Amino acid sequence: MRLQDKVAIVTGGASGIGEFTVREMLKQGAKVVIADFDDAGGQKLADELGEGVSFIHVDVSNEEQVEAMVKHSVDTFGKVDILFSNAGIGSTGSTHELSLEDWNKTISVNLSGVFLCAKYALIEMVKQGSGSIVNCASILGHVGQAATASYTAAKGGVVNMTRALAVEYASQGIRVNAVCPGYINTPLLDQLDDATRKHLVSLHPLGRLGESQEVANAVVFLASDEASFVTGANLLVDGGYTAQ
Ligand SMILES: NC(=O)c1ccc[n+]([C@@H]2O[C@H](COP(=O)([O-])OP(=O)(O)OC[C@H]3O[C@@H](n4cnc5c(N)ncnc54)[C@H](O)[C@@H]3O)[C@@H](O)[C@H]2O)c1
């Protein structure tokens, strides 16, 4: 098993890419903290999976709650080997109509949340002298798209923060990478109408949207010792979207 005896925290672990990653990490031998602000969804998943997982409520934009999330991992499973910083929200709309409040909300979850989770996980990882952080960015951290100013700004920030953290903590045995998914069939895309979904499919050379399991596979690779010489990478899992 690829994550035998590892302890992982997965933020946004109650749904979509996070949920599939929780399941895959457990299958690969890890103990997993499911961290989410969806209490019902997170607890339901923890109850289903049983031994080896633990749910904790967290809003990743709340510093005290993030600190408590990392403490929960240490108290429950003894350590934090892996952080998958995946919690995120979507945001669309014309930029000239975007309120500062909406901008701040997206940035606080999708960018500041990634910083806060890294900060408190790193405190433990530095003590341990080892660790692997995987951030969830997006193709929209690499290319632009209309009407997504706050989301693309946040994901672009995650892409380059990943590189900065990789350089900063390499000498302490800590690797930091990101996955950058294309459009993936998750509840985040539930609100799309058929025409938009078809259009999105046409933008992926592989001719379909991605599945959460395909992102989970990439996350487990980056998190595992198989990726022992990989740090600062932003791994595109996008069906060729950004290759064009
Ligand atoms: N689905 C896609 O097409 C796609 C593409 C590229 C990147 N992503 C990124 O993948 C990640 C996961 O998205 P998904 O598609 O699985 O979405 P999802 O909505 O299915 O899951 C997101 C999870 O994050 C949780 N969450 C949201 N805000 C939170 C907060 N402040 N604190 C704690 N938990 C919070 C939600 O409750 C939910 O369980 C996000 O970072 C998203 O930006 C998704």
Side-chain angles (χ1 to χ4, degrees):
M1 286 195 282
R2 302 157 80 192
L3 301 179
Q4 191 66 50
D5 301 327
K6 304 281 190 192
V7 173
I9 298 173
V10 177
T11 71
S15 171
I17 292 167
E19 177 190 338
F20 276 74
T21 304
V22 168
R23 291 179 187 277
E24 188 60 29
M25 286 181 162
L26 191 66
K27 213 164 92 186
Q28 296 299 335
K31 297 197 166 54
V32 187
V33 173
I34 302 166
D36 205 296
F37 72 178
D38 172 5
D39 292 340
Q43 194 55 58
K44 185 163 172 263
L45 182 63
D47 290 345
E48 180 205 321
L49 296 175
E51 208 179 315
V53 304
S54 177
F55 171 69
I56 184 162
H57 172 93
V58 70
D59 176 346
V60 295
S61 64
N62 179 313
E63 184 161 8
E64 278 174 20
Q65 291 182 20
V66 170
E67 187 175 12
M69 170 188 81
V70 172
K71 186 173 182 307
H72 178 80
S73 179
V74 175
D75 290 348
T76 309
F77 295 129
K79 55 182 180 165
V80 186
D81 297 306
I82 295 163
L83 166 68
F84 180 35
S85 217
N86 162 75
I89 52 176
S91 172
T92 53
S94 299
T95 304
H96 65 278
E97 290 167 350
L98 181 68
S99 68
L100 182 59
E101 196 187 350
D102 284 348
W103 165 274
N104 284 338
K105 188 172 176 216
T106 311
I107 298 294
S108 74
V109 176
N110 291 7
L111 182 57
S112 305
V114 174
F115 154 66
L116 287 174
C117 292
K119 173 180 170 173
Y120 285 96
L122 281 164
I123 290 171
E124 289 305 315
M125 290 174 175
V126 165
K127 278 192 238 160
Q128 292 166 192
S130 66
S132 178
I133 295 176
V134 182
N135 295 322
C136 194
S138 168
I139 48 172
L140 298 185
H142 295 265
V143 297
Q145 181 177 287
T148 60
S150 58
Y151 187 87
T152 53
K155 294 300 187 181
V158 171
V159 163
N160 221 25
M161 179 167 51
T162 297
R163 298 187 183 112
L165 297 183
V167 173
E168 186 173 354
Y169 290 96
S171 65
Q172 301 186 62
I174 300 165
R175 296 182 298 103
V176 186
N177 294 289
V179 283
C180 303
Y183 283 89
I184 309 296
N185 264 319
T186 74
L188 199 67
L189 303 193
D190 276 352
Q191 76 277 22
L192 297 180
D193 57 49
D194 280 357
T196 310
R197 193 171 274 272
K198 256 196 191 138
H199 174 63
L200 289 179
V201 166
S202 76
L203 298 175
H204 296 74
L206 286 181
R208 61 177 175 84
L209 302 188
E211 299 299 330
S212 294
Q213 182 64 46
E214 295 175 301
V215 183
N217 294 342
V219 174
V220 166
F221 165 68
L222 290 172
S224 78
D225 294 339
E226 287 171 19
S228 49
F229 202 53
V230 183
T231 197
N234 285 282
L235 178 55
L236 290 153
V237 185
D238 70 350
Y241 188 109
T242 52
Q244 304 167 90

